[in-house]
Amino acid sequence: METKTKLGVPYKRGTGYVYYLGIRDDSGRKKTWFSRVFKTYEEALADSTERQKYLKQIQAQTSPNEKLKNYLDRWLRGKYYFTVSVSTWRCAESHIRLYINPTIGQTKMCMLTDADVEKVMKKCQRSGLSASSTRFVFSTLRSALKQAVKEKIIKSNPCSLVSPPSVKRVRRQLIPPEKTAEFLELAKKHGIYLEVLFGINFGLRRGEVLELQFRDFDLQQNLLTPKRQIGYTLKTNQLDKGVPRTDWGVVDNLKTDESYGRELVISPKIKELILYLKDKYVEEGVCEKKNIEKCFVCCRADGTFKSPNVLRKRFMAVREEAGMPKLRFHDLRHTFASYMIEDGIPVAVVSAALGHTSITTTLNSYYDVINGGKQIADHMSDKLCDTLVPTEADLKASFRNK
């Protein structure tokens, strides 16, 4: 039973400890923020103490003569920490540490101009960042200075006078149906057969594929409902020690709210695959029979989930051998969506299957496909279905390569 205590004091919740704090958003409204679950009371208390310290600092009146580097440090560890995911926070921290602080970190807040912002953009370009990555760095700086304007530390945001580099629309590289069998064979060779199979067949994101558990498959209704993903999680009490220490772990929240509750139809062959893997994992001692529902489908030999870094490296080897060096794992999701759209499936249905925030996202992402720019043959859906049928040898290989 959960027993809540006062603000900032850890209390027991399930098998760990959590705490909660009261913060105010930009409009001044008070909100309650809950921490993640910690293994011990001491870890939760240390994190709570650190969070409260930075909240007090961020709420204190800042002088316009303060250096940008010091302001960004407080911004990162203040309200911003409570409003974004760990992966977003991690990206912002690296943007500031690698590109913003080395270039204009010593500049006083009151002396910032659009020329300083331009220096950061040039630093990104000299470092070899793409236009898309440079825009992300620009977005981080703009968000931080926007908060400074709201707190009346500076009068205007110098980023408003600068235009970040434009990103050219790149035509996605998809896997044609005639190459799907070859690609799956290569994936089998490198031990990522199941990951590629689920990526093409369900259009799942990388983290969603790696976190799939047997309990997510409703074999009675023939439906798959993704509920979690593998993503970055912060290690305890490491924000004061330079580079933040992060690790891969199970994250309860998906990328968008619309990703929750989406139901994807399971084909008879995929159902056969899941039933086979359940029996095989128990037989090989990967997981006990009583815990099989909570076992990861794409797991290592010891039953733990695969690291996204491992999947990325193996996928790079597969795409090189397949002659598609620019293909990303996320492009399996685009392949799935393109197949559906070109087969005449309504865009609204495709959008729901992908978990997009709105149908507009789907329309913008697959404009060329919707408007007849076919990159794949008309019969790709039937051909894909035949290609994805797993044989007994495929199933054994997928397990043997864990």
Side-chain angles (χ1 to χ4, degrees), residues 7 10 13 20 23 33 58 62-63 120 148 185 197-198 202 214 219 273 306 308 314 316 375 395 398:
L7 294 176
R13 182 176 180 182
Y20 65 101
I23 64 173
W33 177 86
I58 203 69
T62 307
S63 168
V120 175
E185 282 297 321
L197 182 70
F198 293 148
F202 297 117
F214 287 109
L219 301 183
L273 168 64
K306 285 183 180 178
R314 294 185 181 183
M316 288 173 64
Q375 305 171 31
L395 302 182
S398 67

Side-chain angles (χ1 to χ4, degrees), residues 95-240:
H95 294 162
I96 292 172
R97 172 167 46 86
L98 298 176
Y99 305 106
I100 300 176
N101 280 345
T103 308
I104 59 174
Q106 299 299 321
T107 306
K108 292 182 179 180
M109 293 290 289
C110 61
M111 300 297 290
L112 286 173
T113 64
D114 55 324
D116 294 313
V117 180
E118 293 283 3
K119 289 180 183 178
V120 175
M121 297 296 99
K122 290 179 181 178
K123 165 73 173 177
C124 294
Q125 293 171 357
R126 287 197 303 270
S127 300
L129 288 189
S130 64
S132 178
S133 297
T134 301
R135 288 181 70 92
F136 281 127
V137 176
F138 175 82
S139 178
T140 297
L141 180 59
R142 181 177 57 189
S143 297
L145 296 183
K146 182 179 179 181
Q147 183 62 34
V149 173
K150 290 183 178 179
E151 296 176 6
K152 298 182 179 179
I153 300 171
I154 56 178
K155 293 182 179 180
S156 61
N157 190 339
C159 290
S160 61
L161 302 175
V162 178
S163 298
S166 57
V167 179
K168 295 181 180 179
R169 191 180 183 92
V170 179
R171 194 178 184 87
R172 295 185 178 90
Q173 186 170 2
L174 308 178
I175 304 177
E178 60 272 14
K179 280 195 172 185
T180 307
E182 176 190 350
F183 200 87
L184 282 170
E185 282 297 321
L186 292 172
K188 188 195 312 177
K189 172 184 173 183
H190 290 276
I192 55 172
Y193 174 77
L194 290 176
E195 291 85 341
V196 173
L197 182 70
F198 293 148
I200 298 177
N201 203 65
F202 297 117
L204 299 177
R205 302 177 179 93
R206 181 185 65 178
E208 294 172 343
V209 169
L210 292 175
E211 205 287 327
L212 281 179
Q213 299 176 21
F214 287 109
R215 58 180 173 173
D216 298 328
F217 290 85
D218 185 346
L219 301 183
Q220 297 295 326
Q221 300 294 326
N222 294 325
L223 294 174
L224 166 62
T225 306
K227 299 182 178 68
R228 298 158 299 276
Q229 64 176 326
I230 299 299
Y232 281 116
T233 56
L234 279 174
K235 291 187 176 180
T236 58
N237 202 28
Q238 296 295 327
L239 300 182
D240 258 341

Side-chain angles (χ1 to χ4, degrees), residues 11 23 54 107 192 232 246 273 290 320 327 343 369 388 393:
Y11 62 93
I23 64 173
Y54 279 109
T107 306
I192 55 172
Y232 281 116
T246 58
L273 168 64
K290 63 179 181 180
E320 290 294 333
L327 188 75
D343 260 358
V369 179
L388 292 181

Side-chain angles (χ1 to χ4, degrees), residues 66-72 100 104-105 107 109 112 145:
E66 182 183 31
K67 292 181 179 179
L68 174 64
K69 178 180 180 179
N70 297 333
Y71 170 76
L72 291 176
I100 300 176
I104 59 174
T107 306
M109 293 290 289
L112 286 173
L145 296 183

